[in-house]
Amino acid sequence: MAGSSRISRRDFVKVVTIALSSVMGAALGIPVIGYLIDPALKVQSSEAWIPLGPLENFPLGSPKSFSFTRSSVNGWEKTVNSYGGFILRKTETDLLALSSRCTHLSCSVNWDEGNNNYACPCHAAHFGSEGEVLDGPPPAPLDRYETKIEEGNLFIFFQKG
Amino acid sequence: MNDDFKKKVNEKYEEKLQKGERFWPDSIYKDLLVSFALFILLIGLATFIGIHPEPKVDPTDASYVPRPEWYFLFLFEFLKYFPGEIEWVGAAVIPGILVLALILLPLYDKNPFRHYSKRKFAIGLMTFIVIGMIGLTINAVITTPPQVETEIAGSLTEQIVLGQDLYSIQCVECHGPDGEGGEIAGVEGLEGVIVKSISSTDEMYTRNDGSLFDIIAYGQPNLGMPPFGGAYGGELTPSEIEYMVAFMRYSWDDRAEIPADAVAASAIPTLAEGEVPSYEVHISAVSKRYCMSCHREGKENNEYLMGSYEEILKSGNNVPNLVAGDLNSILLQTIQQNEVIGVDDETIGVMPPKKELKPEFVDMFIRWVEAGMPESASEAAALSVEVAPEVEGEVAPEAGVEETPAP
Amino acid sequence: MFKKIYAWLDERVGFDGLYKNLLDRPEPHGNWWNTLGSASLFLFIMQGATGIFLTVYYTPSPDHAYDSIQYIMNGVAFGWLIRGIHHWGASLMVLIVFIHMLRTFFSASYKYPRELTWIVGSLLFLLTLGMGFTGYLLPFNQRAYWATVVATEIGGVVPGIGDFILKALRGGTDVSALTLSRFFSAHIWMLPAALAGLIGVHLYLIMRHGESAYPDQDD
Ligand code: HEM
Ligand code: FES
């Protein structure tokens, strides 16, 4: 491409222009995509046994609420999140731990003693005492936590991510 | 400027255009190559030189040498020639005049000629100014004193690891390696004081990072804890205190999960069977964590310091503290809970005074002395042998190859 | 299909006119020194792009500025690259703009009819320095803080109005959260807006008068 004719020189410059611009665009553009979506790619999983105190604090027969906090690192900040749920102690050692997070859009459900069900305040859904959906939009029963009892203390298994 | 002159200029320019080139493709081509070169240069600078890390703001640190960006250095330097009363001349009047002169240049430069040979004054003056600026900049660079470099943690993991090192040196003598507290032994002025645990759930759930920071910075003078923050007469910078807080929070607060790589990075390396420990990798890690809090400058320690290989062997009033191959060496005896009589007939108590070293660390010291106390990892590696487990058992009965628990 | 879209756009945009006026301009014979203006423009665009990306994570408050920058450098994929380009691009831009100014001075390009090009250009140079000055504080590290303390102090020595200048720059008597916010605002909104506007004027003037020719013996 010795620039023999005007036209070929123009074409040559055109090709070089496009090539170099694309190289620069890609050299900056591809890292930038990674940069922007980076938080979405981070694994933020965490799991732990959470102590909820002595077993005798939980009465037999009716659900009792509990709550705990976990902190996770988001960027350079620690975010402390609260979690809650209900323990239904059916017999001495047969326990059901339900998350209070509604499976529809994450509002917190409450135990309604009178109607013997969990009511979600957001879209008027109801869950039975085992967490099963009675009515309303939620697509699934309430989440369950695994439980264990050690030296008279109740623990639940927390898992996230 | 009359119209004739203007016409002449414009006609001349038209002529030049006739003999000239086109913006596309002639100029753009060169522009593009230069821009591309600058782009490569920028990527190169960002990748291979990077950005010098700087510590966090510390308004109390009067020793910091303020430095402007390099392209303002000449101004900075220029001001040195205008001390005291007339400083404003150098700071405002002269730069103001120069800036105005620059902006308005085409309005007062009435010289109609454009060729260099006919603009000797203008070109001379500008050259003088530019050389002056370069000279001032160079002078500023060579006269600014070097900055004291401090270690800077980038990631959370680095913060925790640095924080643990700082904690080990500054706090362990009173609070113990795991913040467990207890009775203080061997600390001037605080002998026998009982310190409550600072790593308990009670503490961790009721003190946020800010309070922990303040307690370290200001101390608890009424309870005997001295201030550590530079602002209150201590020796730590705000960044350093933050690293310590990060270490405490992630190690002791069960709501915060410590990153796995931080656990790995701060663990004291374990010994394989038949492996000979080195000062560089093993001994220095143990002594930093458990001993240096007292065995450093300015503490009551019979002048025995443990900051380096040299010091561990040759400092203090009871040299030799360690003799290669001698299992009765003073240091080995004290860490095995035997009191020894020192050179001046004084009893040297057991070490560490408060809490026995974990057996695997005691074993580490014993194996190190037996092998001749190698300093570097490579020397130690040369001495190491792949031995069958029985032989290992004879040499060091206590050999605990258990995993070091996370602190 | 493409032809149709092109024709539709061309009818409204007028690519031909654009080509004639923007690209197919005649110019006197130039040399490599003539590339520095567009190099300045290129660096301005790079600074703009990387700067915008930095604001995705950067937080202009004394409590978070430093940590957010640390996070960009160590926690975000390619954060070091984006910040590295912005950091070095700033220095490079000052340098290139300055050399570009010197070249237009030495080639006497500022004389009739390009006086206004020079005046606008010199304002661009000052704004570029202003970008460097305000950007320097943003990481809120020791270097940034102390340099800003001293630099704003210099404004304070002017007799009579020094105290006013100092407080106006700092947003109060101390270098504080207010200083950081106003420097941030200046750095990402006011100065770039002024720069972009004046660059537009600068470029218009260049197209109007054409690139100057290097002076001959008889000029
Ligand atoms: C952000 C900063 C600036 C940008 C983006 C910029 C951009 C440009 C561009 C693209 C050109 C045409 C190509 C060339 O001649 O190099 C140009 C020409 C010019 N610039 Fe700038 N410039 C900047 C700063 C300045 C400064 C600081 C001055 C002087 C005080 C200045 C004075 C001129 C003059 C007089 C011309 C006409 C040169 C000629 O016709 O030969 N510019 N500028
Ligand atoms: S969130 Fe519970 S019903 Fe919609």
Side-chain angles (χ1 to χ4, degrees):
Chain A
M1 284 258 163
S4 48
S5 84
R6 195 79 188 157
I7 296 306
S8 71
R9 175 170 156 75
R10 272 174 187 244
D11 286 345
F12 173 69
V13 171
K14 209 183 255 174
V15 169
V16 173
T17 306
I18 293 172
L20 292 190
S21 307
S22 319
V23 168
M24 289 194 280
L28 197 60
I30 294 170
V32 159
I33 293 174
Y35 174 85
L36 291 177
I37 63 172
D38 182 71
L41 302 180
K42 290 233 156 85
V43 199
Q44 285 181 311
S45 64
S46 112
E47 49 180 51
W49 283 100
I50 311 285
L52 295 182
L55 188 59
E56 58 261 30
N57 289 356
F58 298 91
L60 276 172
S62 90
K64 181 164 191 280
S65 70
F66 65 86
S67 66
F68 61 93
T69 58
R70 297 286 297 165
S71 77
S72 54
V73 181
N74 284 300
W76 60 95
E77 279 264 277
K78 269 199 296 293
T79 315
V80 178
N81 295 311
S82 287
Y83 300 86
F86 296 89
I87 300 288
L88 174 60
R89 204 167 153 207
K90 295 186 244 180
T91 68
E92 218 24 64
T93 50
D94 185 14
L95 292 156
L96 176 65
L98 291 175
S99 160
S100 63
R101 197 171 154 277
C102 178
T103 51
H104 180 221
L105 294 171
S106 303
C107 293
S108 279
V109 301
N110 291 308
W111 176 246
D112 180 347
E113 194 65 66
N115 292 318
N116 216 32
N117 63 22
Y118 293 100
C120 179
C122 290
H123 310 98
H126 294 92
F127 299 87
S129 61
E130 296 274 327
E132 75 279 13
V133 183
L134 298 179
D135 56 42
L142 292 174
D143 289 337
R144 293 176 179 213
Y145 290 109
E146 203 182 319
T147 60
K148 74 172 180 194
I149 298 162
E150 252 172 33
E151 294 169 4
N153 287 314
L154 173 60
F155 291 80
I156 58 169
F157 191 61
F158 168 81
Q159 240 179 336
K160 182 185 159 197
Chain B
M1 211 184 295
N2 55 37
D3 288 344
D4 269 358
F5 174 75
K6 289 183 183 174
K7 209 169 141 216
K8 221 179 80 203
V9 170
N10 288 334
E11 273 165 9
K12 180 93 197 270
Y13 185 64
E14 282 305 321
E15 237 172 74
K16 292 262 178 155
L17 285 186
Q18 299 304 319
K19 289 183 279 172
E21 51 194 25
R22 299 257 139 191
F23 179 61
W24 165 267
D26 304 305
S27 295
I28 280 210
Y29 185 55
K30 280 192 242 164
D31 288 349
L32 184 76
L33 289 184
V34 169
S35 292
F36 188 72
L38 291 177
F39 183 80
I40 299 294
L41 177 65
L42 281 180
I43 302 258
L45 287 168
T47 310
F48 297 110
I49 301 197
I51 302 173
H52 189 261
E54 292 286 329
K56 198 167 196 160
V57 169
D58 180 3
T60 59
D61 179 7
S63 69
Y64 196 84
V65 188
R67 255 180 285 200
E69 191 61 301
W70 64 268
Y71 41 81
F72 289 123
L73 274 179
F74 78 97
L75 250 182
F76 201 61
E77 185 71 9
F78 186 62
L79 285 180
K80 287 191 192 158
Y81 301 96
F82 297 85
E85 288 289 275
I86 56 160
E87 194 180 355
W88 59 281
V89 177
V93 179
I94 296 178
I97 291 174
L98 285 179
V99 164
L100 269 186
L102 181 81
I103 299 176
L104 301 179
L105 169 71
L107 303 186
Y108 62 81
D109 179 5
K110 295 287 181 204
N111 180 354
F113 298 110
R114 297 188 57 220
H115 194 258
Y116 317 104
S117 60
K118 298 168 191 160
R119 298 171 58 224
K120 293 211 172 86
F121 177 71
I123 289 186
L125 185 64
M126 184 58 110
T127 309
F128 173 77
I129 292 176
V130 172
I131 289 178
M133 284 164 69
I134 296 175
L136 285 170
T137 306
I138 292 174
N139 206 30
V141 170
I142 55 183
T143 54
T144 20
Q147 203 71 256
V148 183
E149 293 282 332
T150 48
E151 232 178 315
I152 293 162
S155 61
L156 181 59
T157 295
E158 281 170 45
Q159 290 190 19
I160 295 173
V161 171
L162 271 182
Q164 172 150 44
D165 287 352
L166 288 161
Y167 177 87
S168 303
I169 293 189
Q170 305 286 346
C171 320
V172 166
E173 57 177 346
C174 295
H175 292 286
D178 300 309
E180 70 278 7
E183 189 179 336
I184 297 181
V187 180
E188 204 174 354
L190 291 170
E191 202 66 47
V193 173
I194 310 270
V195 186
K196 70 174 171 163
S197 164
I198 53 169
S199 53
S200 65
T201 308
D202 281 10
E203 289 287 323
M204 282 294 125
Y205 278 47
T206 57
R207 307 262 193 282
N208 63 21
D209 290 355
S211 338
L212 291 177
F213 183 99
D214 291 340
I215 293 172
I216 298 171
Y218 176 68
Q220 304 268 272
N222 282 332
L223 299 174
M225 173 167 166
F228 288 87
Y232 302 105
E235 52 182 79
L236 301 181
T237 66
S239 299
E240 289 173 324
I241 299 181
E242 276 184 10
Y243 302 159
M244 285 161 93
V245 171
F247 158 70
M248 292 163 72
R249 181 67 66 196
Y250 285 94
S251 308
W252 301 336
D253 189 332
D254 58 14
R255 295 168 303 178
E257 263 169 68
I258 188 165
D261 49 347
V263 177
S266 63
I268 292 177
T270 49
L271 281 180
E273 285 175 20
E275 185 182 353
V276 168
S278 66
Y279 174 76
E280 187 186 348
V281 178
H282 304 91
I283 301 299
S284 62
V286 176
S287 61
K288 187 155 75 179
R289 184 82 47 88
Y290 297 98
C291 323
M292 265 184 67
S293 186
C294 298
H295 290 284
R296 63 192 168 108
E297 214 75 62
K299 296 283 163 184
E300 195 181 316
N301 49 27
N302 274 336
E303 324 280 301
Y304 184 43
L305 311 180
M306 297 181 74
S308 67
Y309 185 72
E310 284 295 302
E311 282 178 355
I312 275 201
L313 298 188
K314 303 215 175 82
S315 68
N317 302 339
N318 292 302
V319 180
N321 314 297
L322 284 163
V323 178
D326 179 2
L327 293 185
N328 287 321
S329 296
I330 297 176
L331 189 146
L332 288 191
Q333 287 303 313
T334 58
I335 62 172
Q336 292 180 88
Q337 306 301 300
N338 301 323
E339 292 191 345
V340 208
I341 306 299
V343 182
D344 46 9
D345 285 344
E346 256 186 60
T347 314
I348 306 172
V350 300
M351 290 291 156
K354 233 166 52 183
K355 195 178 171 201
E356 239 178 277
L357 270 190
K358 296 200 184 85
E360 65 262 32
F361 298 147
V362 174
D363 171 56
M364 199 177 265
F365 268 98
I366 293 174
R367 278 160 76 175
W368 183 57
V369 171
E370 272 180 342
M373 307 193 291
E375 181 172 3
S376 70
S378 52
E379 288 171 65
L383 294 167
S384 298
V385 265
E386 296 281 335
V387 267
E390 320 84 85
V391 185
E392 167 68 17
E394 275 167 36
V395 176
E398 278 182 277
V401 207
E402 316 139 39
E403 256 189 39
T404 319
Chain C
M1 185 62 196
F2 276 121
K3 277 215 171 103
K4 262 195 174 158
I5 297 177
Y6 180 84
W8 188 91
L9 281 173
D10 190 30
E11 202 179 342
R12 276 136 259 254
V13 179
F15 291 117
D16 238 28
L18 273 185
Y19 175 75
K20 277 227 176 63
N21 294 319
L22 291 182
L23 296 178
D24 198 27
R25 289 182 281 126
E27 278 178 346
H29 259 300
N31 61 28
W32 289 94
W33 291 104
N34 293 67
T35 62
L36 295 175
S38 62
S40 307
L41 179 63
F42 173 74
L43 288 170
F44 175 74
I45 293 169
M46 286 289 283
Q47 291 303 92
T50 50
I52 287 171
F53 293 128
L54 285 175
T55 64
V56 173
Y57 295 99
Y58 175 75
T59 311
S61 104
D63 286 345
H64 297 292
Y66 183 84
D67 293 334
S68 62
I69 298 253
Q70 288 288 343
Y71 186 63
I72 290 173
M73 293 302 285
N74 299 291
V76 187
F78 297 110
W80 57 270
L81 180 65
I82 309 287
R83 179 167 179 237
I85 293 178
H86 199 74
H87 175 94
W88 288 104
S91 283
L92 205 58
M93 182 166 167
V94 171
L95 196 67
I96 298 287
V97 169
F98 184 68
I99 301 177
H100 167 62
M101 181 179 92
L102 288 182
R103 110 86 176 119
T104 58
F105 176 84
F106 285 118
S107 65
S109 306
Y110 60 90
K111 299 200 171 189
Y112 173 82
R114 298 183 182 81
E115 295 95 328
L116 194 56
T117 317
W118 171 275
I119 293 176
V120 172
S122 56
L123 296 178
L124 287 175
F125 178 58
L126 294 179
L127 287 170
T128 306
L129 290 179
M131 290 296 282
F133 176 62
T134 51
Y136 202 49
L137 177 66
L138 301 186
F140 223 64
N141 54 33
Q142 281 283 72
R143 204 176 156 85
Y145 176 85
W146 287 104
T148 305
V149 167
V150 172
T152 46
E153 205 70 60
I154 292 173
V157 303
V158 184
I161 52 166
D163 197 46
F164 167 78
I165 295 180
L166 179 110
K167 280 180 163 167
L169 282 173
R170 292 185 179 174
T173 47
D174 305 306
V175 172
S176 66
L178 287 181
T179 322
L180 183 57
S181 322
R182 59 178 48 217
F183 273 46
F184 180 66
S185 169
H187 189 78
I188 75 158
W189 295 120
M190 302 177 198
L191 298 179
L195 266 168
L198 288 180
I199 288 175
V201 176
H202 200 67
L203 296 183
Y204 165 75
L205 290 171
I206 289 150
M207 276 183 243
R208 179 169 157 77
H209 298 296
E211 186 90 357
S212 67
Y214 283 93
D216 290 335
Q217 205 67 42
D218 58 349
D219 272 318

